[in-house]
Structures are given as C-alpha cells and as structure tokens.
Amino acid sequence: KHIAEDSMGKKLNSAPVYYTVVQVQFNPVLDLEGYIPAIQSKMREAHFPDYQKEVFQQLVLPFSGAEQGQMAAPTVAPQSRYRFGDIGGRSLFILETNSLSLQTTSYDTYEVFSESFLKGLGILNEALRLDFVARIGLRYIDAVQPADGETLRDFLVPEVLGLATRIDGTLQHSLSESVLSTGAGQLVSRVLIRHGQVGLPMELAGSAPAIDPRFTQREGLHAIIDSDASINQREAFDLEKVRAQLMALHDEVAKAFKATITDHAWASWAKGGTQ
C-alpha cells in the first residue's frame, strides 16, 4: 500500500501525500482534434466534465545540420492539449498527441487513483485504438511538516537529512537524491529540506490543481519527499499489462518512501497528527 494507507489498506487519517501524477506515453496521433468530441463525452460520463483546450508554443529543433556554413534556426510551433477536470477542481486529465496523464491533489488510495486513470486510458483507447505504449510513469510528492516539539529527525532517517540538522547557520536548502534501477523500471527518490511554504517543483506548478490548504497554511522548516518511478519500453498496447506495470511501479515507490521515514512518522500520520 502507499502512503495514504496502512498495511491493511485502511486510509491514514493524515496522509502526507499532496500531489500524485501518472502518465502513459503512446504512439503519436496527429489528427487528435477530430476525436476530441467523442472523448470529451465519455470523460464527462466518468465525472471529468470540466473541459478546456489549451494552445501553447513548443520549440522545434531542426533535424538538419549546418547548411552553407550556418546552422538552421529552431522554430516555434503551436501545439494543442486538452484538459478534463473533475467538479471539485482537484483532479485533472491532460491529453496531448502522444500522452495521457492524470494528476490529483486529492489523493484517496492507490486503487481509487489507478482505476480512475485506467478508465480514462480505456476511453482514449476506444476512440483512438492505440498501437503501443512507450513510457509509463508514476510520481508521488509528500510533505513532512513537524509539529511544535517535533523535528525532521523524528520523521526522516539520517541518510536523507544531510547536514540540515547538524550544523549552525540558516539553511537555504538540503537535497538528497538516489537513482536506482529496479525490476519494475527506474526509481528516483529525492528529499528536499527547506524553509517556507509547501509547493510544487517548477515543472509541475503551472498545470497542477491547487494544493490542499492543510499543506500550505503553515510555513517553516519542512521536507518534501519526491518519488518518481518509470519504465521506458515500447510494447503493444494492452490495458491489463499497463495495469500490472503501474502496480509494480507503485510498489517500488512505496518501498522507497517507507525506507525514508521513521516509525514515528507512520504512527503520527495514522493517528492524524502532523503531515
């Protein structure tokens, strides 16, 4: 089970997860626009009725090399993506020509989250008849915010604390990162310690739903645990195989998280204490 659940699958009273995203990359579909009405209708039935189309500028690098002694200049081309949000504004599908992602700042359990994503991916496959999957990724971001009388040492193992709690001075930030090759794919586990308010990494902040206020209402020394697992392998599209691979990635993320936190942290979140 992940960090919103105990070993019996019971949801923790004060789970520390505040952002989760899953993404599948597939074969490019350049005529995606024509399929959007059918996809939007099914997404609305799946309780994601908040539809928006976004057009953004993407940098395109030239394939050719030097020509007559000059390099061809990169160009900017308009690209479209499609957003399907839930009524509460906390969960959001983003569809591009070669990927579908689901992100949420209202995580319940892995079963609920994964089933919602797989339902959306199934809707997409019904419309597009996907050929292959190129990459599957799963990422969890958790906040560790000690209460009065507690410190980060109570929540995190020494291996990820760095020098943040060992030397004098005003901490700007401390970062621990481990990159591992596992049986399920690649795992990247990061722990960022800093002062201030809980937020999202820059690459996520622009498109993510709003963070639950219970994480952002406090400021001070805190840690962000950022766990990112992925598999890069082209295979024929099979929804059940995607389901199995996602579960394997989730298990790696859960193991990394549990290796990062203390028994005190788990007990605190289970009884509804600090994040």
Side-chain angles (χ1 to χ4, degrees):
K1 303 298 178 182
H2 195 69
I3 42 202
E5 309 150 81
D6 64 17
S7 59
M8 300 301 291
K10 182 181 177 182
K11 189 175 179 183
L12 298 181
N13 290 322
S14 187
V17 57
Y18 69 94
Y19 174 87
T20 313
V21 62
V22 57
Q23 184 192 66
V24 166
Q25 294 180 1
F26 45 79
N27 53 284
V29 182
L30 300 185
D31 60 344
L32 183 59
E33 181 84 33
Y35 295 93
I36 294 301
I39 294 170
Q40 191 272 337
S41 177
K42 292 293 185 181
M43 284 292 192
R44 185 174 57 82
E45 292 177 8
H47 309 294
F48 286 85
D50 187 8
Y51 167 75
Q52 289 181 305
K53 176 183 176 180
E54 289 184 342
V55 178
F56 61 99
Q57 301 299 318
Q58 186 173 59
L59 187 66
V60 180
L61 300 176
F63 286 103
S64 59
E67 182 176 343
Q68 294 181 350
Q70 294 184 346
M71 291 295 294
T75 58
V76 176
Q79 300 288 331
S80 296
R81 62 185 169 206
Y82 309 89
R83 299 162 60 98
F84 306 89
D86 68 349
I87 295 173
R90 290 293 177 82
S91 296
L92 174 68
F93 278 99
I94 296 182
L95 173 61
E96 299 187 45
T97 56
N98 70 333
S99 71
L100 178 71
S101 65
L102 172 62
Q103 47 187 315
T104 185
T105 55
S106 182
Y107 185 82
D108 187 63
T109 64
Y110 172 73
E111 284 75 15
V112 171
F113 179 66
S114 61
E115 285 304 317
S116 183
F117 175 71
L118 290 167
K119 184 173 184 178
L121 188 59
I123 289 171
L124 197 64
N125 183 50
E126 286 179 12
L128 302 179
R129 299 302 175 192
L130 299 174
D131 296 298
F132 65 78
V133 171
R135 182 183 186 276
I136 304 172
L138 181 64
R139 186 173 181 181
Y140 284 81
I141 303 183
D142 303 87
V144 181
Q145 299 173 289
D148 293 341
E150 296 177 317
T151 71
L152 289 175
R153 288 186 184 184
D154 296 320
F155 288 82
L156 300 174
V157 297
E159 289 85 348
V160 300
L161 286 172
L163 298 178
T165 61
R166 292 188 175 273
I167 60 176
D168 294 331
T170 302
L171 178 70
Q172 300 300 308
H173 76 270
S174 175
L175 176 64
S176 168
E177 179 179 271
S178 297
V179 181
L180 304 169
S181 179
T182 74
Q186 177 176 273
L187 173 68
V188 181
S189 177
R190 305 180 188 90
V191 177
L192 173 65
I193 299 172
R194 65 183 182 91
H195 282 276
Q197 191 178 58
V198 166
L200 287 169
M202 190 177 300
E203 73 273 14
L204 300 174
S207 61
I211 299 172
D212 191 312
R214 75 183 177 97
F215 292 101
T216 60
Q217 62 191 2
R218 287 190 288 167
E219 290 197 25
L221 187 67
H222 65 274
I224 302 301
I225 304 175
D226 186 347
S227 308
D228 190 349
S230 62
I231 178 171
N232 290 275
Q233 184 173 312
R234 180 176 294 191
E235 295 183 321
F237 181 85
D238 182 326
L239 191 62
E240 290 308 307
K241 187 158 189 178
V242 172
R243 182 193 305 274
Q245 290 172 319
L246 267 181
M247 174 60 82
L249 293 175
H250 166 266
D251 289 346
E252 295 298 333
V253 167
K255 284 189 288 187
F257 180 84
K258 289 173 183 176
T260 304
I261 65 170
T262 64
D263 291 342
H264 172 87
W266 192 265
S268 177
W269 294 323
K271 70 181 180 182
T274 186
Q275 308 312 336

